[in-house]
Amino acid sequence: AGGLTVVAYLVLAVYDKLGSSYAGRPVSWPKSLLASFCGYALAHNLGFAAVSGAAVRYRLYSAWGLTPLEIAKVVGFTSLTFGLGGLALGGLVLLVEPEVVPWFGENLPHWALRLLAVPFWGVVLGYVVLSLFVRRVRVFKYDIDLPGPRMALAQTGLATVDVAATAAIFYALLPDAEGLTFLRFVGIYLAAYAAGIIAHVPGGLGVFDGAIMLGLQPYMPAAEVVGALLVFRLYYYIVPLFLAGGLFAGFEIGQRRGVLARVTQAGQGTQALEVPAIASLVALAGALLLFMGALPVRGTIVEGWLGKAGALASHFAASVVGSLLLVMAYGLLRRL
């Protein structure tokens, strides 16, 4: 699972590399890795990925000389690439294993779910075909250049590998269960992930977890799912959050070499480091509260004091406060 996590984030770095090439301002691999890792790791945990990930990328790419229009092209390219992978794999699951989709598989006829694969694959195929014959489209008075056919095929293939690798992280942590094939689990994972994105909750907390537990209910008890959930969040969310936060703070410090140069001067040392230090401590506190909010409440001291409802409310409150602290830490780092 740890190795698959590395693979998943490396594939995401290729998104940014291709995106900068599409924008006409290709950046180096180290810069693509930094922008992708910080953007996705922070967006996964903060929620509102389209906003938080774009804000991180804007800060990094603008420092490297890209214009706002070029940065917008990179952000749009990466978002579209991820969507193509979800549609391609989602269509495959709906066609082969429609019954695994939580709730819908039990309450809708399978032929209707299989029909949903047609628009899913239609969007992907239409995008590739459009790239063969059309080089530019006009949307709201703006001309948008489309990637070439090679780039479109690379987007679809990379996104499919990324979604499959991310689902494989979770699948590797689950115990063996009769009837739970990887393709079936991909369907459950995609449905849960989509629910988490739509809810705009930081890290999909609660929404993603509930959908996963609902989908896996026929295959294994909830306790085993919760154990895998915690380790999955540790690998794919918590550890990358700390690493990305440190890298992003280091980047901000590096952008202020003139301030750091005064560290040796009397009275200037604390001023150079106080903002990154305070922001890092606030981010650490927020991440710890988020992690605590994801822990089970059964058997805890809080449950003994407040009862189950009170313990759940306490965990939810910790998650909300942790999310706000992460946003505050970013604001402190930007001196807002």
Side-chain angles (χ1 to χ4, degrees), residues 26-298:
V27 300
S28 63
W29 277 107
K31 290 180 178 179
S32 296
L33 284 166
L34 179 63
S36 173
F37 183 66
C38 290
Y40 280 111
L42 294 174
H44 287 162
N45 286 277
L46 293 178
F48 294 96
V51 178
S52 55
V56 173
R57 282 184 172 83
Y58 183 84
R59 173 60 184 153
L60 294 171
Y61 282 117
S62 60
W64 296 329
L66 274 71
T67 65
L69 179 60
E70 291 167 344
I71 298 172
K73 288 183 176 181
V74 175
V75 173
F77 184 91
T78 55
S79 300
L80 176 61
T81 303
F82 180 82
L84 289 172
L87 290 173
L89 274 179
L92 179 62
V93 171
L94 287 172
L95 188 64
V96 180
E97 303 281 0
E99 66 275 5
V100 304
V101 182
W103 191 84
F104 293 98
E106 299 175 357
N107 296 277
L108 292 178
H110 291 175
W111 63 265
L113 291 173
R114 287 192 172 96
L115 280 179
L116 286 177
V118 176
F120 278 33
W121 282 354
V123 171
V124 178
L125 183 61
Y127 176 72
V128 175
V129 172
L130 196 65
S131 67
L132 285 170
F133 302 103
V134 180
R135 300 301 301 166
R136 180 175 296 178
V137 295
R138 190 172 185 83
V139 179
F140 300 115
K141 300 180 181 180
Y142 293 97
D143 292 328
I144 300 176
D145 296 326
L146 293 179
R150 288 186 178 180
M151 185 77 78
L153 289 173
Q155 283 180 271
T156 306
L158 277 171
T160 304
V161 171
D162 169 50
V163 175
T166 307
I169 299 170
F170 203 139
Y171 187 72
L173 296 168
L174 291 171
D176 292 333
E178 184 178 356
L180 183 63
T181 63
F182 179 64
L183 186 59
R184 287 189 173 188
F185 178 75
V186 169
I188 298 171
Y189 175 83
L190 283 174
Y193 193 81
I197 292 178
I198 293 172
H200 290 302
V201 180
L205 200 62
V207 181
F208 172 81
D209 311 77
I212 282 285
M213 294 181 70
L214 178 65
L216 292 177
Q217 188 176 13
Y219 302 100
M220 62 188 68
E224 295 180 344
V225 181
V226 170
L229 266 171
L230 290 175
V231 182
F232 172 74
R233 286 197 173 278
L234 178 66
Y235 281 173
Y236 196 67
Y237 288 88
I238 304 301
V239 172
L241 173 64
F242 281 98
L243 294 176
L247 289 172
F248 194 68
F251 174 82
E252 289 293 332
I253 293 173
Q255 291 297 110
R256 292 164 175 77
R257 292 189 181 92
V259 176
L260 292 176
R262 297 197 298 269
V263 170
T264 55
Q265 298 178 10
Q268 297 295 323
T270 56
Q271 293 182 15
L273 296 175
E274 62 185 6
V275 173
I278 293 173
S280 299
L281 289 173
V282 173
L284 176 62
L288 288 175
L289 284 174
L290 271 179
F291 183 73
M292 291 169 61
L295 294 175
V297 300
R298 181 174 297 178

